[in-house]
Amino acid sequence: EMENSNKGQKTSDAAAPSAPDTDPADQRRPGDYAPPDRALVVGDGAFAMAMATAMSRRGSDVRVLAYTEKVRDEINSGENKTYMPGYRVDSNIKAYTSIEEASSPDIQLVLLVIPTQFLRAFLVKNISSLPTGCPIVVCAKGIELGTGETPFEMMIGELPGKYHKHFAVLAGPSFAKEIMDGQPTNVVVASERQDVAKLVQRYVSDGSTLRTYVSDDVHGIEIAGAVKNVLAIASGALAGLEFGNNARAALVCRGLAELTRLAVAMGSNGRSMAGLAGVGDLMLTCSSSLSRNYSVGQKLAEGKTLAEIQEGTKAVAEGVATAKSVRKLAAKLNVEMPICDAVYRVLYEGLNPREALSELQARPLGAESGLVAE
């Protein structure tokens, strides 16, 4: 299924049609499509393990490129105790710390599950080591500090042209723990080429618990995935201040307006903001303490400092760095994003979360105009 069509977006090699190229004679269920024989997952955190497990359950031989020898050895011993404790690692998942060992010409799918701020360094270091001729799907959700580039843009800028037609982005409401538990999860894959998006869709969808939609709105999917992490910090702060459902609902709606404005300014048509990467992921991360970003906001509102919060966790909350990137990008594009700006000021300028909320409520009155509200 095609979740969104961005007709105005320029594409490399081939433009995605406005409707899915569906063969009415093809009555296969999602899980009936052949999985990749071998997949490479770059990353060793919770979501990397969830995607490795999802592909393993599909029947793929999965290679995980771990960042440290410690986590590599944990994975190969049967449990990633550092990032995914309590879950057994499937027997057809093998971890490495060398990409030369993990990669091979028969890899049919690459999933890059690396925090945004570390992605470019990985690409530069391994520019000639990634497999060729297969989809390379980035699962990071953020905007790079300094450059203001998204993960897809970094891949375009750093990897040789032979890779470009195989790039895709995966996003949507997908807590790693729930994927590991086999709970129903829907995600979206965006690519400039529909054939690449559909191939990844068929690889990842299992017909029972994990379902994938396709989109051509790469810009929109990435901006939504980045900004929702910043908004989740705000939502966590509301919980820490013991505000209720009214406040959270307002935050989700007004936050959606902010991320839509930025996405449209970046080249999106805005329609995918109503989909899984927009409303879906925003609802998820703004309503659960399973979200690392939500937890950061909650602890800030409870009086902890950012340094104290970061010292107490191994996991990366992408929204902390992305708050800086979003602020800079919004200023560059002249996009008004008051909630995201307030999060930045709480994180980096010492603004009290309760005072930040009061300032937002006291802003001049305005009109609402749907997803692109002013």
Side-chain angles (χ1 to χ4, degrees):
E1 296 181 46
M2 191 75 172
E3 185 185 72
N4 177 65
S5 177
N6 187 356
K7 298 180 182 179
Q9 182 175 315
K10 293 182 179 180
T11 62
S12 58
D13 296 291
S18 58
D21 181 17
T22 303
D23 180 359
D26 188 352
Q27 298 298 315
R28 284 177 289 181
R29 291 171 55 84
D32 293 340
Y33 295 101
D37 293 331
R38 178 163 289 164
L40 171 63
V41 177
V42 179
D44 58 14
F47 195 71
M49 294 307 299
M51 292 307 298
T53 301
M55 300 315 303
S56 170
R57 290 170 179 168
R58 290 277 285 128
S60 300
D61 174 66
V62 183
R63 297 178 175 183
V64 172
L65 183 61
Y67 183 67
T68 66
E69 293 182 357
K70 174 180 179 290
V71 176
R72 176 201 65 189
D73 293 344
E74 287 180 357
I75 294 171
N76 291 335
S77 296
E79 182 184 358
N80 186 337
K81 295 180 180 179
T82 300
Y83 295 110
M84 189 57 76
Y87 290 90
R88 295 295 300 172
V89 177
D90 290 350
S91 60
N92 50 335
I93 297 175
K94 177 76 172 177
Y96 304 82
T97 51
S98 164
I99 193 169
E100 286 74 24
E101 293 179 351
S103 183
S104 60
D106 59 350
I107 296 285
Q108 293 181 310
L109 176 67
V110 177
L111 298 173
L112 299 179
V113 196
I114 308 170
T116 302
Q117 308 308 324
F118 301 100
L119 177 61
R120 188 182 300 276
F122 171 82
L123 296 174
V124 171
K125 181 180 179 181
N126 300 288
I127 193 169
S128 59
S129 301
L130 288 169
T132 58
C134 68
I136 299 178
V137 186
V138 64
C139 303
K141 299 174 181 179
I143 300 171
E144 189 181 37
L145 290 169
T147 67
E149 291 188 352
T150 65
F152 192 92
E153 290 171 330
M154 281 188 262
M155 292 199 300
I156 292 289
E158 297 296 347
L159 293 180
K162 64 182 179 181
Y163 289 105
H164 291 190
K165 65 181 180 180
H166 302 292
F167 291 159
V169 176
L170 185 145
S174 48
F175 282 150
K177 184 180 184 300
E178 295 188 10
I179 294 175
M180 294 293 291
D181 290 337
Q183 295 190 33
T185 302
N186 287 14
V187 295
V188 57
V189 172
S191 176
E192 292 183 341
R193 290 179 58 107
Q194 191 189 56
D195 59 336
V196 173
K198 291 184 72 173
L199 179 58
V200 176
Q201 177 187 45
R202 292 172 178 179
Y203 276 166
V204 173
S205 301
D206 62 18
S208 57
T209 61
L210 187 55
R211 180 177 177 85
T212 309
Y213 290 79
V214 295
S215 169
D216 61 358
D217 187 12
V218 173
H219 288 305
I221 297 299
E222 287 205 295
I223 292 299
V227 176
K228 64 90 183 176
N229 284 329
V230 180
L231 296 169
I233 294 175
S235 185
L238 291 179
L241 294 171
E242 298 185 345
F243 289 113
N245 296 317
N246 291 355
R248 179 178 295 129
L251 171 68
V252 169
C253 289
R254 299 310 306 162
L256 183 62
E258 290 190 19
L259 68 84
T260 301
R261 285 197 292 262
L262 185 61
V264 170
M266 288 285 289
S268 168
N269 59 26
R271 289 196 293 272
S272 57
M273 300 306 101
L276 290 164
V279 171
D281 214 357
L282 188 59
M283 288 180 63
L284 183 77
T285 53
C286 285
S287 60
S288 174
S289 59
L290 285 177
S291 163
R292 295 186 292 268
N293 297 285
Y294 181 98
S295 295
V296 167
Q298 187 171 19
K299 291 173 183 177
L300 283 169
E302 291 170 351
K304 289 189 177 181
T305 66
L306 181 58
E308 290 171 341
I309 296 167
Q310 291 178 321
E311 286 172 5
T313 180
K314 302 182 186 72
V316 175
E318 292 259 36
V320 173
T322 302
K324 288 184 178 180
S325 306
V326 166
R327 191 176 199 244
K328 183 176 179 180
L329 190 58
K332 177 183 176 182
L333 298 174
N334 196 30
V335 176
E336 186 182 22
M337 304 184 71
I339 300 173
C340 290
D341 187 68
V343 171
Y344 171 87
R345 292 169 60 206
V346 168
L347 289 171
Y348 299 108
E349 295 182 355
L351 179 64
N352 181 278
R354 188 178 296 274
E355 186 178 337
L357 178 62
S358 297
E359 288 185 8
L360 287 169
Q361 289 294 85
R363 294 175 65 245
L365 298 175
E368 183 182 59
S369 304
L371 284 181
V372 288
E374 296 299 329

